[in-house]
Structure formats: structure tokens, C-alpha cells
């Protein structure tokens, strides 16, 4: 789950990472009030889960509370990369002497967290050559220690006895603490700013591991999914919108991708990715079928190779939806093999539906029917 | 022969009294797996499908030799269960559970390294040594004994491809699921090395998917292998930047693309099947079989 910038900064502040003065506002009046409290030039930043806010005009630099109100009026109600701006962050405008970069993320290949840092942060971080990017893995058994942070700071070319160096050693250790305590799969500060003697997180990007939400009750909830994705996620399933016309349901991410690949190779176009694997029961499977039919596709392709998913559960769900709707509004092809296959086919037989044995044949058939 | 597990492997089922675990205990027993014990805290003394249940793994280890454990406990308790098994000396741990927090996975894998244990998963379908032993959840009837090694990130896609192999008379030495999550135990290279050494295995099928760089790293080792490798990579049609279910299956900044993986594998001498059901023909060709 991605967090808004202001939420990430609240988290930083709570853990002791310095952030600019200011806070979130939902109305121009609030923005004006916050700007008055700050006193002096401000930044009004649109809060959306997307980069490129500056280029889209979503970041303004008012000098007075009145200007801050006007800036907030303009930014609230904007749409940035399809996302409506519902709140802004009003902050002190920092005097920027230098921009740096710091993040911790999970490196799946190394099976460890990795610290990434650069003395050259800001907008162009992705364009920096490799030699300006410092990467060090964090041994999970050793954990984070001051020496690790000092080595990063040394390699960033910052003196360890300077106010900047001392603060950065703290910030690095704190970032890892946030990762572990809040199950963050990404914490990023870009830019980390030197402003006179201060070191300040001028931006925040925090992504919480969705698999850890069960133990993160105190975090605010952020909606970062489309309606169909959300409906599927509420059922514990993963769904991705695509732009074709054959709705697809399969069980398991790999076979779902394999199904999409096969449809495309045969000249069909998938409408979506929907993985209903992992032992999804009858009721959730039926609801997932409803989500797919709600997309108004030209055809529906169900490809099940039962392992932990049981063919009888899928067949019953299929039958439930079939009966509730008195038949399907579009052509449907179902391929059903694996665990409890015979029971599943018997259930389908009661509504006169025949299942395919092979994905290849089934894929060709649905493309033909959906034409 | 076969790798990691065989007909002599004594298996413990962690969380055996749960709905999924008891169902799959029955299936595993039907396949011929030697399940000697189960463990669910607080339910010691019961039996599931004739298998004695213990309160702790150490208690089970006092009564039986445990070579391998298969974990079915819910995600919040998975780290604890995996650590308990390794601490008790179990050398192979198969974690079926989905949705385990990534920092828990990192801790599990780190401890496995220290203890010299094999971890498959989290989020794996398990492992099957054809005709000998099955740990996990794949449907029994598609897994038969033979000389093809299979290693995969994804479960159902593996059933699909193994089903095709079996339908074409190609049995399997061992089918290994590494797990679909971000931080899993064994890697393609670990498993490929075992297949290269295993006398029963004559050719290997590698089933990968877009995202990450596991397949590219595997390609480096495939260059050194004497046994033929046939690969299938899922996600050719996936648009960049979209997460396709598996935590692993996301294309990051132009890395881990379908074409990049295919090129690396092809350059290493592997044959890449464009579609899943084209794997058996490539295997037969590589082995010179009709």
C-alpha cells in the first residue's frame, strides 16, 4: 500500500527524521491558516500517488497566506495522471543548499533489504551513472548498526563530524527501523536536503507490505486500486485491467499469465488478469465471476488446473452464477482439470456445460466464440 | 535418486489439523508420502488421517526422525512455524502459505542459510519426486516417475506443463516449486545444480516468469550444464509496470522483461517454448526421443 507524501512525512516525524514545518490541508482556508502559522514563503504540494507532480503544475510556491489559499484552490480539484487531488501539503519553503538521495527497499534476489544512497538526489536520480549510486545490503541477522550508517555517509562524501553527517547517520538507522516496525517494502527520501546546518526530508515515498497489513492496525488506509481491482482485492484476489475483450479467470498468477499469453498468441485479446487461486472458495469465486461479467466482455474464459483450488468449488460457483442470471450473457468456455475434477464436471453437467481438458483447445474455442 | 525428497523421506505436516492441511495430508498419503507426524500447538494427542499430532516440533522429533516439514499454517504464524522446524533440526522446509510479510520471509531465509536448511517457498505448491514422495498441494494424478527435472516459480502453471509432459509419456524425477514470493529460499541455480548431479534426471524444464532477475542468473549457470534445459517464461503479454499477482511478477524499470529473459536463456543454450504446451516437443527433441 502506497502512502501519500504527507503520511510518510508524519511517519518520519514520529520516528525522529526531520521534515519541513507544515501539514496537510483539505480546503484553501486550511491552507491559508497553515501558511500563516509558518510565516514566510511556502510550498503547496498536491497529494496524489504519482510522480511528476511538479511537471503537471501540482506544486506551487506562494509567498503569503493569501497566495497559499489561491494556490490550494488551483491545485485542489486538479487531476494528475488520472488521479484527483483531494488534499495538499502546505510546508515551509526550504533554502536548498544540496539535494541527496536515500532509500531502503527489498532486494528479492539477495533476499535482504538494500540501502541505496547518492550524494546527487532530486529529479535526476534515475539518470545518475552507476558510480554515483551506493548500494549496500543489510544482513537481517546482524541488523542495522551505527557503523553501517557511517560507512554510507562516508561514501556519500559527507564528513562524519559535521552536523550534516551526524544527522544522516541517525536518519539511515531510522529508515531501517521504519522498514522493520512498519513492514515498509520501500522508504525513500528524494530529495534529502541540506539547508544551512539542517538535514531535512523534503519528500517521502513509503510503501507498506500489503501482506503485513494484519499487524499494521494503526496506519491510515490509502486506496491505490481501481474499483474492479478493489472489488477483487476484497475477495483476496488479484486483478489487473487490460484493454482486450475476453475476460479471463484462472487459478495462480503463473497460469493466468500463461493463459493471457496463449490467448494473445492465438489472436485473442484479454480484458483482464484475474488470479482466483490459493484455494478460493465457492462464494468468492462466484463473486469474482460477477466482477468479470460486470466488465461486459465479449467472452469469458475460465482456465482452472486445480491443486489447492478444487474443481467442485469452481463448478458450484459457476453454476450459482449461471442460475442466478438464468444463463450467461456472453459465450463462456471453461477448462477444468485437477483436484476433484470428476465432481466438478458432474456439477457442470447438471446445467449442460462441458469442460475442456486442454488449455490450447479451450483458448481457440473462446476466441472463435467471442468474434 | 531424485533430488531433495524421495521414498525414504519422513515428513511432518505443520498445522495438520486445519482444513487445507488435513485435506492435503490425505492427498499426500495417497501419493505415497511417508507422513510420520503432524504438529498443531494445543492439539497434541489427536490423529489426522491416522497421523499422530504433536504440540511442538521438538516433541515430534523426540518420537520420530523428521527429514522434512510442509507448512500450512496461516501467514501470521508462518515465520514462527518455519523457525521452529529449522531450530529443531529439520533440514527441508516447504512453506505453502501465501501472503507472508516480506520481512518475515527475509528472516526465514537468513536462518535457513545459517542452519544449512533447504527452504521452498513461501507461496510454493511444494515438491514432488515422481512416484515417490509429494509435499504440498499439486494434484496427484499428473505427477509420474521419470527422468525430467522441473523447477518453477509458479504453481498452477507447473501443473499445466507437468500435465503436458505426463500426457506425452515424459515422467519426472523431481518437480520443485521455489515459491512465487519476493524473498524465497532455494533459487533456480541451487536446484539446477542438484539436477545436474542427479543420475535420474536427463533433462530439465525451467518455468519462469517476468520480473526480477532469477532467470537471467540461472542462464549464467545453464551455460555450464551438460544436461539440456527447456524453459517457458510466463508474462509475454503483460504490459510493463503492472503487477500480475505474484509479488515477483512485475517489470521494474525495463529489467526482468520477457525478451530479456528469453535472450539470456537462449544465449546460454536453453530452448525456450513460446507457449506452455510446446514444452514436451522441445524436451523430446533435446533428448532425441520420438
Amino acid at each position: 500500500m502506497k502512502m501519500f507524501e504527507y503520511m510518510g512525512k508524519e511517519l518520519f516525524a514520529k520516528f525522529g527524521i526531520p521534515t519541513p514545518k507544515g501539514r496537510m490541508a483539505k480546503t484553501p482556508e486550511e491552507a491559508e491558516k497553515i501558511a500563516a502559522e509558518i510565516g514566510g514563503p511556502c510550498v503547496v504540494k498536491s497529494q496524489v500517488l504519482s510522480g511528476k507532480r511538479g511537471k503537471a503544475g501540482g506544486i506551487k510556491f506562494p509567498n503569503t497566506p493569501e497566495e497559499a489559499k489561491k494556490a490550494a484552490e488551483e491545485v485542489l480539484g486538479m487531476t494528475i495522471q488520472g488521479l484527483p487531488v483531494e488534499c495538499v501539503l502546505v510546508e515551509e519553503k526550504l533554502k536548498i543548499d544540496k539535494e541527496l538521495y536515500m532509500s531502503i527497499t527489498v532486494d528479492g534476489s539477495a533476499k535482504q533489504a538494500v540501502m541505496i544512497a547518492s550524494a546527487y538526489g532530486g529529479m535526476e536520480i534515475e539518470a545518475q551513472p552507476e558510480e554515483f549510486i551506493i548500494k549496500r545490503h543489510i544482513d537481517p541477522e546482524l541488523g542495522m548498526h551505527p557503523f553501517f550508517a557511517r560507512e554510507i555517509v562516508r561514501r556519500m562524501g559527507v564528513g562524519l563530524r559535521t552536523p550534516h553527517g551526524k544527522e544522516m547517520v541517525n536518519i539511515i538507522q531510522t529508515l531501517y527501523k521504519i522498514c522493520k516496525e512498519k513492514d515498509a517494502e520501500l522508504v525513500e527520501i528524494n530529495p534529502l536536503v541540506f539547508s544551512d546546518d539542517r538535514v531535512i526530508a523534503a519528500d517521502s515515498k513509503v510503501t507498506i507490505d500489503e501482506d503485513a497489513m494484519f499487524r499494521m492496525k494503526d496506519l491510515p488506509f490509502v486506496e491505490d486500486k481501481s474499483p474492479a481491482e478493489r472489488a477483487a482485492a476484497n475477495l483476496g484476489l488479484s486483478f489487473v485491467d487490460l484493454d482486450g475483450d475476453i475476460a479471463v479467470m484462472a487459478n495462480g498468477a503463473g497460469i493466468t499469465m500463461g493463459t493471457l499469453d496463449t490467448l494473445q498468441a492465438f489472436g485473442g485479446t484479454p480484458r483482464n488478469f484475474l488470479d482466483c487461486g490459493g484455494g478460493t472458495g465457492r462464494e468468492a469465486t462466484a463473486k469474482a465471476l460477477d466482477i468479470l461479467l460486470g466488465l461486459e466482455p465479449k467472452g469469458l474464459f475460465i482456465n482452472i488446473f486445480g491443486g489447492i483450488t478444487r474443481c467442485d468449488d469452481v463448478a458450484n460457483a459457476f453454476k450459482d452464477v449461471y442460475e442466478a442470471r438464468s444463463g450467461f450473457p456472453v459465450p463462456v468456455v471453461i477448462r477444468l482439470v485437477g483436484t476433484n475434477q470428476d465432481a466438478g464436471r458432474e456439477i457442470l453437467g447438471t446445467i449442460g456445460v462441458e469442460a475442456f481438458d486442454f488449455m490450447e483447445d479451450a483458448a481457440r474455442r473462446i476466441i472463435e466464440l467471442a468474434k | 535418486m531424485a533430488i531433495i525428497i524421495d521414498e525414504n523421506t519422513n515428513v511432518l505436516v505443520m498445522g495438520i489439523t486445519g482444513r487445507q492441511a488435513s485435506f492435503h495430508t490425505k492427498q499426500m498419503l495417497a501419493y505415497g508420502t511417508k507422513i510420520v507426524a503432524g504438529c498443531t500447538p494445543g492439539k497434541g494427542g489427536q490423529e489426522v488421517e491416522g497421523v499422530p499430532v504433536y504440540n511442538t516440533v521438538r516433541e515430534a522429533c523426540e518420537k520420530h526422525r523428521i527429514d522434512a516439514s510442509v507448512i500450512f499454517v496461516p501467514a501470521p504464524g508462518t515465520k514462527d512455524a518455519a523457525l521452529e522446524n529449522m531450530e529443531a533440526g529439520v533440514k527441508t522446509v516447504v512453506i505453502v502459505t501465501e501472503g507472508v510479510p516480506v520481512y518475515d520471509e527475509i528472516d526465514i531465509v537468513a536462518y535457513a542459510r545459517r542452519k544449512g536448511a533447504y527452504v521452498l517457498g513461501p507461496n510454493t505448491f511444494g515438491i514432488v519426486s515422481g512416484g515417490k514422495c509429494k509435499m504440498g498441494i499439486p494434484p496427484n494424478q499428473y505427477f509420474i516417475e521419470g527422468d525430467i527435472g522441473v523447477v518453477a516459480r509458479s504453481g498452477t502453471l507447473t501443473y499445466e506443463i507437468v500435465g503436458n509432459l505426463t500426457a506425452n509419456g515424459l515422467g519426472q524425477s523431481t518437480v520443485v516449486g521455489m515459491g512465487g514470493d519476493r524473498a524465497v529460499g532455494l533459487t533456480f541455480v541451487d536446484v539446477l545444480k542438484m539436477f545436474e548431479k542427479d543420475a535420474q534426471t536427463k533433462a530439465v524444464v525451467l518455468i519462469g516468469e517476468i520480473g526480477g532477475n532469477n532467470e537471467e542468473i540461472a542462464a549464467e549457470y545453464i551455460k555450464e550444464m551438460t544436461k539440456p534445459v527447456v524453459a517457458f517464461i510466463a508474462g509475454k503479454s503483460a504490459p510493463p509496470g503492472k503487477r500480475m499477482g505474484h509479488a515477483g511478477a512485475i517489470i521494474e524499470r525495463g529489467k526482468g522483461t520477457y525478451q530479456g529473459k528469453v535472450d539470456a536463456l537462449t544465449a546460454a543454450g536453453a530452448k525456450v517454448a513460446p507457449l506452455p504446451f510446446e514444452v514436451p516437443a522441445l524436451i523430446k527433441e533435446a533428448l532425441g526421443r520420438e
Side-chain angles (χ1 to χ4, degrees):
Chain A
M1 181 191 78
K2 289 179 185 161
M3 296 180 91
F4 289 111
E5 178 194 359
Y6 78 89
M7 290 176 176
K9 282 179 168 169
E10 284 172 10
L11 202 59
F12 286 174
K14 207 168 114 191
F15 278 79
I17 295 177
T19 54
K21 272 183 266 173
R23 57 180 197 276
M24 183 269 277
K26 286 188 169 168
T27 63
E29 291 71 28
E30 277 177 72
E32 183 182 17
K33 189 166 159 262
I34 297 165
E37 285 166 20
I38 293 167
C42 291
V43 193
V44 172
K45 301 173 90 176
S46 54
Q47 298 295 291
V48 284
L49 300 173
S50 148
K52 301 183 180 132
R53 291 175 298 173
K55 281 177 192 155
I59 299 178
K60 310 259 180 216
F61 300 92
N63 288 307
T64 64
E66 294 71 39
E67 283 179 32
K69 184 182 174 190
K70 196 167 156 277
E73 264 167 12
E74 283 170 33
V75 172
L76 287 164
M78 273 177 72
T79 303
I80 296 175
Q81 299 205 313
L83 303 164
V85 179
E86 285 165 2
C87 58
V88 294
L89 178 59
V90 185
E91 287 184 334
E92 62 174 316
K93 187 178 177 210
L94 296 171
K95 169 176 171 281
I96 295 174
D97 301 329
K98 185 173 170 57
E99 292 186 319
L100 306 93
Y101 175 91
M102 270 185 194
S103 69
I104 296 179
T105 188
V106 172
D107 178 350
S109 304
K111 299 149 196 195
Q112 290 181 340
V114 60
M115 169 103 210
I116 303 171
S118 176
Y120 307 93
M123 301 269 275
E124 304 305 324
I125 181 70
E126 279 164 43
Q128 292 295 340
E130 275 298 305
E131 62 262 34
F132 294 151
I133 308 282
I134 300 153
K135 279 187 195 173
R136 279 202 83 188
H137 287 96
I138 302 164
D139 182 331
E141 292 196 279
L142 190 58
M144 174 59 77
H145 295 277
F147 76 82
F148 181 99
R150 288 197 301 270
E151 170 62 7
I152 297 280
V153 173
R154 178 192 72 85
R155 288 183 58 189
M156 291 172 85
V158 178
L160 289 169
R161 287 178 176 276
T162 63
H164 293 146
K166 286 179 188 167
E167 185 68 79
M168 285 163 73
V169 168
N170 285 329
I171 291 172
I172 290 169
Q173 294 178 80
T174 308
L175 284 179
Y176 187 64
K177 198 171 169 205
I178 294 173
C179 285
K180 292 287 285 182
E181 283 187 23
K182 297 295 170 191
D183 281 289
E185 52 186 38
L186 171 70
V187 287
E188 182 181 79
I189 306 176
N190 187 32
L192 181 74
V193 163
F194 287 0
S195 183
D196 297 325
D197 273 356
R198 295 197 292 164
V199 182
I200 303 167
D203 199 352
S204 85
K205 203 177 269 180
V206 177
T207 307
I208 305 295
D209 180 2
E210 296 203 11
D211 288 334
M213 291 309 282
F214 67 86
R215 59 188 181 200
M216 287 300 123
K217 303 273 188 273
D218 63 328
L219 284 178
F221 175 77
V222 180
E223 183 54 84
D224 57 357
K225 294 181 161 57
S226 77
E229 284 170 2
R230 170 53 53 202
N234 288 344
L235 299 172
L237 311 177
S238 75
F239 174 99
V240 180
D241 259 315
L242 301 169
D243 51 14
D245 51 25
I246 298 173
V248 175
M249 171 172 166
N251 62 319
I255 201 173
T256 311
M257 281 192 281
T259 307
L260 304 182
D261 296 346
T262 302
L263 280 176
Q264 203 156 66
F266 291 166
T269 56
R271 171 65 184 82
N272 69 285
F273 167 100
L274 175 64
D275 169 11
C276 72
T280 306
R282 173 175 178 170
E283 206 176 315
T285 305
K287 284 182 182 158
L289 285 170
D290 280 326
I291 294 173
L292 292 183
L293 291 170
L295 300 171
E296 300 180 353
K298 284 191 186 163
L300 173 60
F301 184 28
I302 303 168
N303 184 19
I304 303 295
F305 206 127
I308 204 157
T309 300
R310 302 179 195 176
C311 290
D312 52 335
D313 280 345
V314 176
N316 272 319
F318 186 90
K319 190 180 169 203
D320 292 346
V321 176
Y322 181 89
E323 284 173 351
R325 291 175 178 256
S326 322
F328 286 108
V330 295
V332 178
V333 167
I334 179 164
R335 185 271 187 127
L336 192 65
V337 295
T339 306
N340 294 357
Q341 167 181 324
D342 294 340
R345 289 177 176 223
E346 208 177 298
I347 294 159
L348 291 181
T350 62
I351 52 171
V353 173
E354 208 173 315
F356 280 77
D357 288 319
F358 294 100
M359 165 154 79
E360 187 177 358
D361 304 334
R364 287 189 199 281
R365 182 71 183 143
I366 187 63
I367 290 167
E368 204 178 287
L369 291 174
K371 262 184 190 150
Chain B
M1 290 297 281
I3 66 168
I4 305 176
I5 59 169
D6 59 25
E7 65 274 26
N8 299 316
T9 304
N10 279 2
V11 172
L12 176 144
V13 179
M14 200 67 190
I16 192 166
T17 51
R19 176 178 175 259
Q20 294 290 3
S22 53
F23 176 81
H24 285 287
T25 295
K26 195 173 172 181
Q27 301 289 320
M28 286 187 276
L29 288 167
Y31 194 77
T33 306
K34 267 178 72 184
I35 302 178
V36 298
C39 175
T40 302
K43 301 215 170 163
Q46 298 184 6
E47 280 194 354
V48 173
E49 303 293 333
V51 175
V53 181
Y54 299 94
N55 282 311
T56 67
V57 176
R58 286 240 167 216
E59 188 191 0
C61 289
E62 284 168 11
K63 306 277 169 49
H64 310 273
R65 186 191 86 230
I66 309 290
D67 302 310
S69 292
V70 54
I71 294 180
F72 282 98
V73 305
T78 297
K79 174 176 158 182
D80 186 42
L83 298 183
E84 180 180 4
N85 276 280
M86 291 188 276
E87 195 275 338
V90 179
K91 288 296 177 197
T92 297
V93 178
V94 178
I95 306 171
V96 173
T97 313
E98 273 189 80
V100 177
V102 70
Y103 282 100
D104 288 3
E105 297 180 341
I106 287 172
D107 289 343
I108 292 168
V109 173
Y111 191 58
R113 242 177 233 161
R114 180 135 73 92
K115 299 291 278 188
Y118 293 152
V119 168
L120 294 173
N123 191 12
T124 176
F125 62 87
I127 173 169
V128 189
S129 285
K132 300 183 178 107
C133 182
K134 177 185 99 165
M135 294 177 68
I137 57 174
N140 290 352
Q141 65 268 37
Y142 298 96
F143 291 76
I144 61 168
E145 186 163 6
D147 56 9
I148 311 300
V150 180
V151 57
R153 274 160 80 171
S154 150
T156 326
L157 184 58
T158 304
Y159 314 160
E160 177 74 43
I161 289 172
V162 169
N164 278 302
L165 290 173
T166 296
N168 281 275
L170 296 164
Q172 305 89 42
S173 52
T174 304
V175 180
V176 182
M178 304 188 307
D181 278 1
R182 285 155 291 184
V184 296
L186 292 183
T187 64
F188 277 129
V189 175
D190 295 330
V191 180
L192 288 172
K193 282 182 177 166
M194 293 184 220
F195 279 137
E196 176 72 6
K197 279 194 209 138
D198 175 45
Q200 185 181 337
T201 304
K202 299 286 184 256
V204 181
V205 176
L206 180 151
I207 304 170
E209 61 192 34
I210 54 167
N213 61 352
N214 288 294
E215 291 78 4
E216 288 85 339
I217 295 169
E220 286 303 307
Y221 177 69
I222 289 171
K223 285 181 191 163
E224 301 168 22
M225 285 179 70
T226 59
K227 296 176 182 175
V229 176
V230 171
F232 172 75
I233 306 295
K236 185 180 185 179
S237 62
K242 293 262 186 181
R243 192 178 268 227
M244 292 289 196
H246 275 167
I250 181 166
I251 305 185
E252 301 123 349
R253 292 182 187 170
K255 285 183 193 158
T257 62
Y258 177 80
Q259 202 53 49
K261 289 177 189 295
V262 170
D263 291 348
L265 289 163
T266 307
K271 294 269 185 290
V272 180
L275 292 170
F277 34 80
E278 291 167 350
V279 169
L282 289 177
I283 284 282
K284 285 186 176 175
E285 194 185 304
L287 292 173
R289 292 182 195 163
E290 282 300 299

